[in-house]
Amino acid sequence: MQNPSSLTAPQTTAAPRSAFVTGGSGFVGSRLIALLASRGWQVKALARSPEAMDAVRRAGAIPVQGDLTDASALRSGMAGCEVVFHVAAHFKLWGPRAVFDRVNVEGMRMLVDAAAATQGLRRVVAVSAAAVVMGDPEPMLDVDERLPLQTRDFAPYSSSKAEGERLLLAANNRRPGFETIAIRPPFIWGPDMPTLDHMVETVRVGRFQWVGGGGQAMSTCHVDNLCDALLLAVDNGRGGETYFVSDGENGTLKSVISALLATRDIVPKDRAVPFRLAWMMAGIMGAAWRLLGRGGEPPITRQMLRLIGKPFTISIAKARSELGYVPHVSFAQGIAAMGRGRQSGHAVAGLPPSTPIPVAP
């Protein structure tokens, strides 16, 4: 007779967790896919082009061809998934508000409609922006989630993100077991950050100036810290809530941008433009661009100045207490890693330039 103590209980293997990611070929999305894949998640990702499909495949996801206006693609991507990570956004510092609304507002509407209609999908975790609480240009220090959302005509990006977040949170509990959460990072940075190439070029051609002298305080969020927060929100976040996340330390515009440029062996000249003068110039340039129907972006815009021209820091106390969020990558560690990557010949993504100064997404 067999000894009962030698019997082995049947082995059960839990099914892998599953997620659908939008914006997966971008700076944050590709990093998030890689993190999910490394933790055993099965990941599908929305991709608009063959190049984007290749990018998400390399990151570790199954591509789903389509965009945020394609309800069929959204439903196909979400089928069988428990979580949607919504990272895609239209991020520019200039352009018609309708263009921003098409992606950041209507795209959000279509996404939450599809998610709420997908049985078994329990949570949408979206990358919002710390800038959704920015109104008229003024110092804002240690702000928290109690501040109301703001919209301004001169800020189509942050205003459209605020409207998109409003739609996201309004969909919370649309059906039993369905929840929505917004994660609000400030300036996102790290290896392959899209704006660094253009910053370097702006310095090289002599067009770089520090707005307001560059001494204004700012919060930052390393891309890996943001991805950690997104994953924590899946199980720890409360539905219908927003969470500011950052590196847990603040710098100044000059200290942050100088450190990033130094990873490319670039030292900007100490030239400055007063905020009020820059604001006036941005207004004149914006009017001229609209009147003449010029393409591209003006050299300076009021949206950009609102994002980086005044002190802006955030509190992450709520994320710490409710999500269990701890920033694992310090600013010094992240900068050192970028420098090592450069020295080892690691390629920096040559994405299309959008602005001479990086700003909070």
Side-chain angles (χ1 to χ4, degrees), residues 25-27 192-194 197 348-354:
S25 62
F27 172 46
D192 301 340
M193 57 185 293
D197 284 349
V348 176
L351 299 179
S354 59

Side-chain angles (χ1 to χ4, degrees), residues 49-126:
S49 66
E51 294 78 14
M53 293 179 73
D54 288 342
V56 301
R57 193 178 288 113
R58 288 194 302 270
I62 299 169
V64 177
Q65 189 165 18
D67 59 31
L68 291 174
T69 66
D70 187 341
S72 176
L74 292 174
R75 290 193 297 268
S76 174
M78 294 176 187
C81 293
E82 63 167 299
V83 179
V84 170
F85 292 101
H86 182 37
V87 183
H90 181 66
F91 175 43
K92 295 286 184 182
L93 300 179
W94 176 257
R97 175 64 189 268
V99 176
F100 290 87
D101 285 348
R102 186 160 55 246
V103 177
N104 299 343
V105 181
E106 295 308 315
M108 178 69 83
R109 189 191 309 277
M110 292 197 69
L111 180 126
V112 295
D113 285 349
T118 301
Q119 293 302 312
L121 198 155
R122 66 183 186 87
R123 185 159 282 193
V124 176
V125 180

